[in-house]
Amino acid sequence: MIKLYDFLPCPFGQKVRIVLAEKSLTYDLVEIDLLRGEQRKPDFLRLNPYGKVPVLIDEDTTIYDSTIINEYLEDEYPDPPLLPAIGSSSLRARARLFEELADSSFTPQVGQLMAEVAKPDAERDQSRVQRARQAVERLLDYLNHELDARQFLTVEFSLADIGFVPRLVVLQALGIEAGSGRPNVDGWLKRLVERPSIQALQGLTTDPVAGI
Ligand SMILES: N[C@@H](CCC(=O)N[C@@H](CS)C(=O)NCC(=O)O)C(=O)O
């Protein structure tokens, strides 16, 4: 039985839950309340020395970091595949590049926008909102260019697309129309939100809970 330690609003845990759903894997969810500091308890730190969710346990294997968890799930439960086939090295590298872009750039940038937008009017720094919004818009322009005539970032739906989903699907609530003037992003987003794994995703929010 798979066990997933997670905090539902965490975009990285959401990536893992999309993969589990795509692969029809059942699991026990153990909620770690970051607002109460449960990630700093010794029992949890023994699972992940970084004190962060998500953590996945499969039988006697314990893994942390959403990207590494998703690669493990892909190796261990290859059907349906969520990476281009082994041998398609350049496409596999492309998938990983986009996943990294989502984790290191897109998700934190949208997080910064969420944090600023959530502040009371008097405390909100409009120039910071503007800068965060522009950074997100620039990345969306890049994705629009890279999607070109593709259905997904690497031909088939993959870990690359999944990396963007948690923050992509909440942009509208932050006042950003991702698909406006970006026809490739528009089609991509529509295809993504049709997927049952994404429709069933719990914890989507624009509330910068616990600074994430
Ligand atoms: N690189 C990690 C990042 C995980 C992460 O930042 N998790 C946040 C919640 S979204 C966390 O647990 N923060 C708790 C803390 O830093 O105290 C991954 O992809 O899993």
PDB file of all heavy atoms in Angstrom, residues 6-7 9-13 15-16 32 34 37 39-40 44 48 50-55 64-69 103 167 209-210 212, ligand 1:
ATOM      1  N   ASP A   6       1.127  14.589   2.958  1.00  0.00           N
ATOM      2  CA  ASP A   6       0.896  15.763   2.112  1.00  0.00           C
ATOM      3  C   ASP A   6       0.112  16.818   2.889  1.00  0.00           C
ATOM      4  O   ASP A   6      -0.466  16.542   3.947  1.00  0.00           O
ATOM      5  CB  ASP A   6       0.105  15.318   0.865  1.00  0.00           C
ATOM      6  CG  ASP A   6       0.231  16.268  -0.304  1.00  0.00           C
ATOM      7  OD1 ASP A   6       0.917  17.309  -0.175  1.00  0.00           O
ATOM      8  OD2 ASP A   6      -0.351  15.967  -1.359  1.00  0.00           O
ATOM      9  N   PHE A   7       0.116  18.016   2.324  1.00  0.00           N
ATOM     10  CA  PHE A   7      -0.689  19.141   2.811  1.00  0.00           C
ATOM     11  C   PHE A   7      -1.451  19.598   1.576  1.00  0.00           C
ATOM     12  O   PHE A   7      -0.819  20.010   0.580  1.00  0.00           O
ATOM     13  CB  PHE A   7       0.272  20.227   3.350  1.00  0.00           C
ATOM     14  CG  PHE A   7      -0.381  21.465   3.866  1.00  0.00           C
ATOM     15  CD1 PHE A   7      -1.240  21.418   4.967  1.00  0.00           C
ATOM     16  CD2 PHE A   7      -0.132  22.692   3.275  1.00  0.00           C
ATOM     17  CE1 PHE A   7      -1.823  22.582   5.455  1.00  0.00           C
ATOM     18  CE2 PHE A   7      -0.706  23.856   3.766  1.00  0.00           C
ATOM     19  CZ  PHE A   7      -1.554  23.799   4.859  1.00  0.00           C
ATOM     20  N   PRO A   9      -3.029  22.038   0.111  1.00  0.00           N
ATOM     21  CA  PRO A   9      -2.766  23.203  -0.748  1.00  0.00           C
ATOM     22  C   PRO A   9      -1.377  23.206  -1.394  1.00  0.00           C
ATOM     23  O   PRO A   9      -1.077  24.097  -2.195  1.00  0.00           O
ATOM     24  CB  PRO A   9      -2.893  24.396   0.219  1.00  0.00           C
ATOM     25  CG  PRO A   9      -3.558  23.870   1.446  1.00  0.00           C
ATOM     26  CD  PRO A   9      -3.185  22.420   1.526  1.00  0.00           C
ATOM     27  N   CYS A  10      -0.518  22.265  -1.053  1.00  0.00           N
ATOM     28  CA  CYS A  10       0.862  22.279  -1.580  1.00  0.00           C
ATOM     29  C   CYS A  10       0.883  21.913  -3.067  1.00  0.00           C
ATOM     30  O   CYS A  10       0.465  20.819  -3.450  1.00  0.00           O
ATOM     31  CB  CYS A  10       1.729  21.302  -0.781  1.00  0.00           C
ATOM     32  SG  CYS A  10       3.364  21.082  -1.514  1.00  0.00           S
ATOM     33  N   PRO A  11       1.398  22.808  -3.918  1.00  0.00           N
ATOM     34  CA  PRO A  11       1.404  22.514  -5.353  1.00  0.00           C
ATOM     35  C   PRO A  11       2.280  21.305  -5.714  1.00  0.00           C
ATOM     36  O   PRO A  11       2.029  20.626  -6.706  1.00  0.00           O
ATOM     37  CB  PRO A  11       1.957  23.802  -5.988  1.00  0.00           C
ATOM     38  CG  PRO A  11       2.693  24.496  -4.884  1.00  0.00           C
ATOM     39  CD  PRO A  11       1.999  24.119  -3.607  1.00  0.00           C
ATOM     40  N   PHE A  12       3.294  21.027  -4.870  1.00  0.00           N
ATOM     41  CA  PHE A  12       4.177  19.893  -5.178  1.00  0.00           C
ATOM     42  C   PHE A  12       3.468  18.579  -4.853  1.00  0.00           C
ATOM     43  O   PHE A  12       3.558  17.610  -5.612  1.00  0.00           O
ATOM     44  CB  PHE A  12       5.499  20.055  -4.428  1.00  0.00           C
ATOM     45  CG  PHE A  12       6.183  21.361  -4.753  1.00  0.00           C
ATOM     46  CD1 PHE A  12       6.169  22.420  -3.847  1.00  0.00           C
ATOM     47  CD2 PHE A  12       6.782  21.550  -5.985  1.00  0.00           C
ATOM     48  CE1 PHE A  12       6.758  23.635  -4.167  1.00  0.00           C
ATOM     49  CE2 PHE A  12       7.375  22.769  -6.310  1.00  0.00           C
ATOM     50  CZ  PHE A  12       7.360  23.816  -5.395  1.00  0.00           C
ATOM     51  N   GLY A  13       2.730  18.570  -3.757  1.00  0.00           N
ATOM     52  CA  GLY A  13       1.916  17.393  -3.443  1.00  0.00           C
ATOM     53  C   GLY A  13       0.839  17.195  -4.509  1.00  0.00           C
ATOM     54  O   GLY A  13       0.506  16.052  -4.872  1.00  0.00           O
ATOM     55  N   LYS A  15       1.103  17.786  -7.649  1.00  0.00           N
ATOM     56  CA  LYS A  15       1.737  17.095  -8.795  1.00  0.00           C
ATOM     57  C   LYS A  15       1.707  15.583  -8.585  1.00  0.00           C
ATOM     58  O   LYS A  15       1.423  14.815  -9.500  1.00  0.00           O
ATOM     59  CB  LYS A  15       3.228  17.482  -8.899  1.00  0.00           C
ATOM     60  CG  LYS A  15       3.528  18.824  -9.489  1.00  0.00           C
ATOM     61  CD  LYS A  15       5.016  19.173  -9.285  1.00  0.00           C
ATOM     62  CE  LYS A  15       6.000  18.166  -9.840  1.00  0.00           C
ATOM     63  NZ  LYS A  15       7.412  18.480  -9.455  1.00  0.00           N
ATOM     64  N   VAL A  16       2.048  15.176  -7.367  1.00  0.00           N
ATOM     65  CA  VAL A  16       2.119  13.736  -7.072  1.00  0.00           C
ATOM     66  C   VAL A  16       0.724  13.125  -7.108  1.00  0.00           C
ATOM     67  O   VAL A  16       0.516  12.031  -7.660  1.00  0.00           O
ATOM     68  CB  VAL A  16       2.797  13.493  -5.699  1.00  0.00           C
ATOM     69  CG1 VAL A  16       2.711  12.027  -5.310  1.00  0.00           C
ATOM     70  CG2 VAL A  16       4.256  13.957  -5.741  1.00  0.00           C
ATOM     71  N   ILE A  32      -0.281  16.390   6.744  1.00  0.00           N
ATOM     72  CA  ILE A  32       0.694  17.068   7.606  1.00  0.00           C
ATOM     73  C   ILE A  32       0.303  18.544   7.604  1.00  0.00           C
ATOM     74  O   ILE A  32       0.330  19.185   6.542  1.00  0.00           O
ATOM     75  CB  ILE A  32       2.134  16.896   7.035  1.00  0.00           C
ATOM     76  CG1 ILE A  32       2.536  15.421   7.005  1.00  0.00           C
ATOM     77  CG2 ILE A  32       3.159  17.711   7.816  1.00  0.00           C
ATOM     78  CD1 ILE A  32       2.635  14.758   8.361  1.00  0.00           C
ATOM     79  N   LEU A  34       0.988  22.010   7.850  1.00  0.00           N
ATOM     80  CA  LEU A  34       2.161  22.903   7.871  1.00  0.00           C
ATOM     81  C   LEU A  34       1.907  24.124   8.751  1.00  0.00           C
ATOM     82  O   LEU A  34       2.845  24.711   9.298  1.00  0.00           O
ATOM     83  CB  LEU A  34       2.509  23.363   6.451  1.00  0.00           C
ATOM     84  CG  LEU A  34       2.832  22.286   5.414  1.00  0.00           C
ATOM     85  CD1 LEU A  34       3.287  22.939   4.108  1.00  0.00           C
ATOM     86  CD2 LEU A  34       3.899  21.330   5.917  1.00  0.00           C
ATOM     87  N   GLY A  37       3.044  23.359  12.066  1.00  0.00           N
ATOM     88  CA  GLY A  37       4.457  22.980  12.179  1.00  0.00           C
ATOM     89  C   GLY A  37       4.692  21.477  12.251  1.00  0.00           C
ATOM     90  O   GLY A  37       5.756  21.034  12.703  1.00  0.00           O
ATOM     91  N   GLN A  39       5.470  19.462  10.113  1.00  0.00           N
ATOM     92  CA  GLN A  39       6.605  19.020   9.281  1.00  0.00           C
ATOM     93  C   GLN A  39       7.930  19.076  10.043  1.00  0.00           C
ATOM     94  O   GLN A  39       8.942  18.566   9.580  1.00  0.00           O
ATOM     95  CB  GLN A  39       6.688  19.865   7.991  1.00  0.00           C
ATOM     96  CG  GLN A  39       7.172  21.291   8.151  1.00  0.00           C
ATOM     97  CD  GLN A  39       6.078  22.256   8.591  1.00  0.00           C
ATOM     98  OE1 GLN A  39       5.092  21.857   9.198  1.00  0.00           O
ATOM     99  NE2 GLN A  39       6.250  23.531   8.291  1.00  0.00           N
ATOM    100  N   ARG A  40       7.922  19.728  11.195  1.00  0.00           N
ATOM    101  CA  ARG A  40       9.170  19.840  11.969  1.00  0.00           C
ATOM    102  C   ARG A  40       9.246  18.823  13.100  1.00  0.00           C
ATOM    103  O   ARG A  40      10.190  18.813  13.875  1.00  0.00           O
ATOM    104  CB  ARG A  40       9.325  21.272  12.509  1.00  0.00           C
ATOM    105  CG  ARG A  40       9.611  22.286  11.390  1.00  0.00           C
ATOM    106  CD  ARG A  40       9.984  23.648  11.923  1.00  0.00           C
ATOM    107  NE  ARG A  40       8.859  24.325  12.560  1.00  0.00           N
ATOM    108  CZ  ARG A  40       7.961  25.061  11.902  1.00  0.00           C
ATOM    109  NH1 ARG A  40       8.075  25.241  10.601  1.00  0.00           N
ATOM    110  NH2 ARG A  40       6.967  25.634  12.557  1.00  0.00           N
ATOM    111  N   PHE A  44       8.463  13.071  11.491  1.00  0.00           N
ATOM    112  CA  PHE A  44       8.382  13.455  10.079  1.00  0.00           C
ATOM    113  C   PHE A  44       9.780  13.737   9.517  1.00  0.00           C
ATOM    114  O   PHE A  44      10.095  13.358   8.386  1.00  0.00           O
ATOM    115  CB  PHE A  44       7.455  14.660   9.878  1.00  0.00           C
ATOM    116  CG  PHE A  44       7.242  14.972   8.416  1.00  0.00           C
ATOM    117  CD1 PHE A  44       6.430  14.169   7.625  1.00  0.00           C
ATOM    118  CD2 PHE A  44       7.902  16.034   7.807  1.00  0.00           C
ATOM    119  CE1 PHE A  44       6.277  14.421   6.261  1.00  0.00           C
ATOM    120  CE2 PHE A  44       7.759  16.286   6.442  1.00  0.00           C
ATOM    121  CZ  PHE A  44       6.928  15.483   5.681  1.00  0.00           C
ATOM    122  N   ASN A  48      11.751  12.772   5.975  1.00  0.00           N
ATOM    123  CA  ASN A  48      12.335  13.750   5.054  1.00  0.00           C
ATOM    124  C   ASN A  48      13.141  14.756   5.855  1.00  0.00           C
ATOM    125  O   ASN A  48      12.577  15.606   6.547  1.00  0.00           O
ATOM    126  CB  ASN A  48      11.219  14.469   4.269  1.00  0.00           C
ATOM    127  CG  ASN A  48      11.783  15.524   3.324  1.00  0.00           C
ATOM    128  OD1 ASN A  48      12.998  15.760   3.296  1.00  0.00           O
ATOM    129  ND2 ASN A  48      10.925  16.165   2.553  1.00  0.00           N
ATOM    130  N   TYR A  50      14.514  17.356   5.051  1.00  0.00           N
ATOM    131  CA  TYR A  50      14.228  18.749   4.705  1.00  0.00           C
ATOM    132  C   TYR A  50      12.967  19.265   5.411  1.00  0.00           C
ATOM    133  O   TYR A  50      12.683  20.466   5.374  1.00  0.00           O
ATOM    134  CB  TYR A  50      14.007  18.902   3.196  1.00  0.00           C
ATOM    135  CG  TYR A  50      15.248  18.661   2.364  1.00  0.00           C
ATOM    136  CD1 TYR A  50      15.376  17.509   1.597  1.00  0.00           C
ATOM    137  CD2 TYR A  50      16.276  19.607   2.321  1.00  0.00           C
ATOM    138  CE1 TYR A  50      16.506  17.295   0.810  1.00  0.00           C
ATOM    139  CE2 TYR A  50      17.410  19.400   1.540  1.00  0.00           C
ATOM    140  CZ  TYR A  50      17.518  18.241   0.788  1.00  0.00           C
ATOM    141  OH  TYR A  50      18.630  18.033   0.015  1.00  0.00           O
ATOM    142  N   GLY A  51      12.170  18.359   5.979  1.00  0.00           N
ATOM    143  CA  GLY A  51      10.947  18.785   6.655  1.00  0.00           C
ATOM    144  C   GLY A  51       9.935  19.389   5.708  1.00  0.00           C
ATOM    145  O   GLY A  51       9.328  20.426   6.004  1.00  0.00           O
ATOM    146  N   LYS A  52       9.753  18.751   4.567  1.00  0.00           N
ATOM    147  CA  LYS A  52       8.802  19.263   3.575  1.00  0.00           C
ATOM    148  C   LYS A  52       7.919  18.136   3.057  1.00  0.00           C
ATOM    149  O   LYS A  52       8.372  16.988   2.949  1.00  0.00           O
ATOM    150  CB  LYS A  52       9.550  19.892   2.387  1.00  0.00           C
ATOM    151  CG  LYS A  52      10.247  21.207   2.725  1.00  0.00           C
ATOM    152  CD  LYS A  52      10.914  21.787   1.493  1.00  0.00           C
ATOM    153  CE  LYS A  52      11.819  22.958   1.824  1.00  0.00           C
ATOM    154  NZ  LYS A  52      11.127  24.148   2.302  1.00  0.00           N
ATOM    155  N   VAL A  53       6.685  18.486   2.715  1.00  0.00           N
ATOM    156  CA  VAL A  53       5.825  17.549   1.996  1.00  0.00           C
ATOM    157  C   VAL A  53       5.988  17.827   0.505  1.00  0.00           C
ATOM    158  O   VAL A  53       6.375  18.935   0.136  1.00  0.00           O
ATOM    159  CB  VAL A  53       4.338  17.727   2.405  1.00  0.00           C
ATOM    160  CG1 VAL A  53       4.117  17.272   3.820  1.00  0.00           C
ATOM    161  CG2 VAL A  53       3.841  19.149   2.202  1.00  0.00           C
ATOM    162  N   PRO A  54       5.695  16.878  -0.360  1.00  0.00           N
ATOM    163  CA  PRO A  54       5.182  15.537  -0.109  1.00  0.00           C
ATOM    164  C   PRO A  54       6.299  14.517   0.185  1.00  0.00           C
ATOM    165  O   PRO A  54       7.439  14.709  -0.230  1.00  0.00           O
ATOM    166  CB  PRO A  54       4.509  15.188  -1.436  1.00  0.00           C
ATOM    167  CG  PRO A  54       5.337  15.902  -2.474  1.00  0.00           C
ATOM    168  CD  PRO A  54       5.761  17.189  -1.812  1.00  0.00           C
ATOM    169  N   VAL A  55       5.866  13.446   0.909  1.00  0.00           N
ATOM    170  CA  VAL A  55       6.715  12.263   1.086  1.00  0.00           C
ATOM    171  C   VAL A  55       5.854  11.065   0.718  1.00  0.00           C
ATOM    172  O   VAL A  55       4.679  11.002   1.094  1.00  0.00           O
ATOM    173  CB  VAL A  55       7.189  12.119   2.553  1.00  0.00           C
ATOM    174  CG1 VAL A  55       7.927  10.795   2.746  1.00  0.00           C
ATOM    175  CG2 VAL A  55       8.079  13.288   2.965  1.00  0.00           C
ATOM    176  N   TYR A  64      11.166  11.458  -0.921  1.00  0.00           N
ATOM    177  CA  TYR A  64      10.672  12.837  -0.826  1.00  0.00           C
ATOM    178  C   TYR A  64      11.113  13.589  -2.065  1.00  0.00           C
ATOM    179  O   TYR A  64      11.957  13.124  -2.830  1.00  0.00           O
ATOM    180  CB  TYR A  64      11.153  13.525   0.460  1.00  0.00           C
ATOM    181  CG  TYR A  64      12.641  13.397   0.728  1.00  0.00           C
ATOM    182  CD1 TYR A  64      13.558  14.235   0.124  1.00  0.00           C
ATOM    183  CD2 TYR A  64      13.107  12.394   1.589  1.00  0.00           C
ATOM    184  CE1 TYR A  64      14.910  14.105   0.372  1.00  0.00           C
ATOM    185  CE2 TYR A  64      14.466  12.262   1.845  1.00  0.00           C
ATOM    186  CZ  TYR A  64      15.355  13.126   1.232  1.00  0.00           C
ATOM    187  OH  TYR A  64      16.691  12.997   1.473  1.00  0.00           O
ATOM    188  N   ASP A  65      10.509  14.735  -2.258  1.00  0.00           N
ATOM    189  CA  ASP A  65      10.659  15.621  -3.425  1.00  0.00           C
ATOM    190  C   ASP A  65       9.730  15.138  -4.551  1.00  0.00           C
ATOM    191  O   ASP A  65       9.884  14.028  -5.063  1.00  0.00           O
ATOM    192  CB  ASP A  65      12.099  15.720  -3.946  1.00  0.00           C
ATOM    193  CG  ASP A  65      12.202  16.866  -4.948  1.00  0.00           C
ATOM    194  OD1 ASP A  65      11.773  16.672  -6.094  1.00  0.00           O
ATOM    195  OD2 ASP A  65      12.636  17.958  -4.560  1.00  0.00           O
ATOM    196  N   SER A  66       8.802  16.029  -4.924  1.00  0.00           N
ATOM    197  CA  SER A  66       7.750  15.649  -5.881  1.00  0.00           C
ATOM    198  C   SER A  66       8.312  15.128  -7.213  1.00  0.00           C
ATOM    199  O   SER A  66       7.781  14.177  -7.782  1.00  0.00           O
ATOM    200  CB  SER A  66       6.826  16.840  -6.136  1.00  0.00           C
ATOM    201  OG  SER A  66       7.550  17.946  -6.639  1.00  0.00           O
ATOM    202  N   THR A  67       9.392  15.732  -7.688  1.00  0.00           N
ATOM    203  CA  THR A  67       9.939  15.307  -8.982  1.00  0.00           C
ATOM    204  C   THR A  67      10.481  13.882  -8.887  1.00  0.00           C
ATOM    205  O   THR A  67      10.244  13.044  -9.765  1.00  0.00           O
ATOM    206  CB  THR A  67      11.060  16.276  -9.421  1.00  0.00           C
ATOM    207  OG1 THR A  67      10.487  17.575  -9.536  1.00  0.00           O
ATOM    208  CG2 THR A  67      11.667  15.875 -10.753  1.00  0.00           C
ATOM    209  N   ILE A  68      11.185  13.609  -7.781  1.00  0.00           N
ATOM    210  CA  ILE A  68      11.789  12.283  -7.609  1.00  0.00           C
ATOM    211  C   ILE A  68      10.696  11.250  -7.324  1.00  0.00           C
ATOM    212  O   ILE A  68      10.740  10.118  -7.824  1.00  0.00           O
ATOM    213  CB  ILE A  68      12.876  12.341  -6.516  1.00  0.00           C
ATOM    214  CG1 ILE A  68      13.976  13.306  -6.988  1.00  0.00           C
ATOM    215  CG2 ILE A  68      13.463  10.955  -6.260  1.00  0.00           C
ATOM    216  CD1 ILE A  68      15.029  13.619  -5.959  1.00  0.00           C
ATOM    217  N   ILE A  69       9.676  11.655  -6.564  1.00  0.00           N
ATOM    218  CA  ILE A  69       8.543  10.748  -6.320  1.00  0.00           C
ATOM    219  C   ILE A  69       7.880  10.388  -7.656  1.00  0.00           C
ATOM    220  O   ILE A  69       7.600   9.215  -7.940  1.00  0.00           O
ATOM    221  CB  ILE A  69       7.499  11.396  -5.380  1.00  0.00           C
ATOM    222  CG1 ILE A  69       8.082  11.613  -3.981  1.00  0.00           C
ATOM    223  CG2 ILE A  69       6.232  10.550  -5.317  1.00  0.00           C
ATOM    224  CD1 ILE A  69       7.189  12.448  -3.048  1.00  0.00           C
ATOM    225  N   ASP A 103       8.756  23.860 -11.578  1.00  0.00           N
ATOM    226  CA  ASP A 103       9.081  23.831 -10.139  1.00  0.00           C
ATOM    227  C   ASP A 103       9.920  25.030  -9.702  1.00  0.00           C
ATOM    228  O   ASP A 103       9.726  25.566  -8.615  1.00  0.00           O
ATOM    229  CB  ASP A 103       9.898  22.569  -9.803  1.00  0.00           C
ATOM    230  CG  ASP A 103       9.023  21.346  -9.674  1.00  0.00           C
ATOM    231  OD1 ASP A 103       7.818  21.441  -9.980  1.00  0.00           O
ATOM    232  OD2 ASP A 103       9.545  20.288  -9.281  1.00  0.00           O
ATOM    233  N   ARG A 167      -0.550  25.542 -10.432  1.00  0.00           N
ATOM    234  CA  ARG A 167      -0.620  27.011 -10.454  1.00  0.00           C
ATOM    235  C   ARG A 167      -1.281  27.539 -11.732  1.00  0.00           C
ATOM    236  O   ARG A 167      -1.847  28.628 -11.721  1.00  0.00           O
ATOM    237  CB  ARG A 167       0.784  27.603 -10.308  1.00  0.00           C
ATOM    238  CG  ARG A 167       1.407  27.384  -8.937  1.00  0.00           C
ATOM    239  CD  ARG A 167       0.532  27.901  -7.824  1.00  0.00           C
ATOM    240  NE  ARG A 167       1.250  28.008  -6.563  1.00  0.00           N
ATOM    241  CZ  ARG A 167       0.763  27.659  -5.384  1.00  0.00           C
ATOM    242  NH1 ARG A 167      -0.448  27.144  -5.291  1.00  0.00           N
ATOM    243  NH2 ARG A 167       1.469  27.822  -4.279  1.00  0.00           N
ATOM    244  N   VAL A 209      -1.335  29.909   1.592  1.00  0.00           N
ATOM    245  CA  VAL A 209      -1.343  29.220   2.887  1.00  0.00           C
ATOM    246  C   VAL A 209       0.086  28.859   3.288  1.00  0.00           C
ATOM    247  O   VAL A 209       0.830  28.274   2.494  1.00  0.00           O
ATOM    248  CB  VAL A 209      -2.145  27.902   2.794  1.00  0.00           C
ATOM    249  CG1 VAL A 209      -2.554  27.414   4.176  1.00  0.00           C
ATOM    250  CG2 VAL A 209      -3.314  28.031   1.882  1.00  0.00           C
ATOM    251  N   ALA A 210       0.452  29.196   4.470  1.00  0.00           N
ATOM    252  CA  ALA A 210       1.763  28.806   5.003  1.00  0.00           C
ATOM    253  C   ALA A 210       2.904  29.238   4.098  1.00  0.00           C
ATOM    254  O   ALA A 210       3.924  28.553   4.010  1.00  0.00           O
ATOM    255  CB  ALA A 210       1.806  27.284   5.226  1.00  0.00           C
ATOM    256  N   ILE A 212       3.174  29.222   0.877  1.00  0.00           N
ATOM    257  CA  ILE A 212       3.484  28.434  -0.324  1.00  0.00           C
ATOM    258  C   ILE A 212       2.647  28.898  -1.508  1.00  0.00           C
ATOM    259  O   ILE A 212       1.661  29.548  -1.336  1.00  0.00           O
ATOM    260  CB  ILE A 212       3.263  26.915  -0.108  1.00  0.00           C
ATOM    261  CG1 ILE A 212       1.835  26.658   0.398  1.00  0.00           C
ATOM    262  CG2 ILE A 212       4.299  26.351   0.810  1.00  0.00           C
ATOM    263  CD1 ILE A 212       1.479  25.205   0.508  1.00  0.00           C
TER     264      ILE A 212
HETATM  265  N1  LIG B   1      11.240  20.483  -3.962  1.00  0.00           N
HETATM  266  C1  LIG B   1      10.209  20.024  -3.070  1.00  0.00           C
HETATM  267  C2  LIG B   1       9.496  21.224  -2.484  1.00  0.00           C
HETATM  268  C3  LIG B   1       8.474  20.819  -1.435  1.00  0.00           C
HETATM  269  C4  LIG B   1       7.966  22.035  -0.656  1.00  0.00           C
HETATM  270  O1  LIG B   1       8.459  23.161  -0.801  1.00  0.00           O
HETATM  271  N2  LIG B   1       6.973  21.766   0.199  1.00  0.00           N
HETATM  272  C5  LIG B   1       6.451  22.829   1.040  1.00  0.00           C
HETATM  273  C6  LIG B   1       4.922  22.893   0.907  1.00  0.00           C
HETATM  274  S1  LIG B   1       4.394  23.246  -0.733  1.00  0.00           S
HETATM  275  C7  LIG B   1       6.724  22.494   2.495  1.00  0.00           C
HETATM  276  O2  LIG B   1       6.578  21.365   2.902  1.00  0.00           O
HETATM  277  N3  LIG B   1       7.082  23.501   3.290  1.00  0.00           N
HETATM  278  C8  LIG B   1       7.230  23.331   4.692  1.00  0.00           C
HETATM  279  C9  LIG B   1       8.391  24.088   5.253  1.00  0.00           C
HETATM  280  O3  LIG B   1       9.235  24.552   4.470  1.00  0.00           O
HETATM  281  O4  LIG B   1       8.446  24.221   6.471  1.00  0.00           O
HETATM  282  C10 LIG B   1       9.233  19.116  -3.837  1.00  0.00           C
HETATM  283  O5  LIG B   1       9.144  19.243  -5.060  1.00  0.00           O
HETATM  284  O6  LIG B   1       8.613  18.240  -3.232  1.00  0.00           O
END
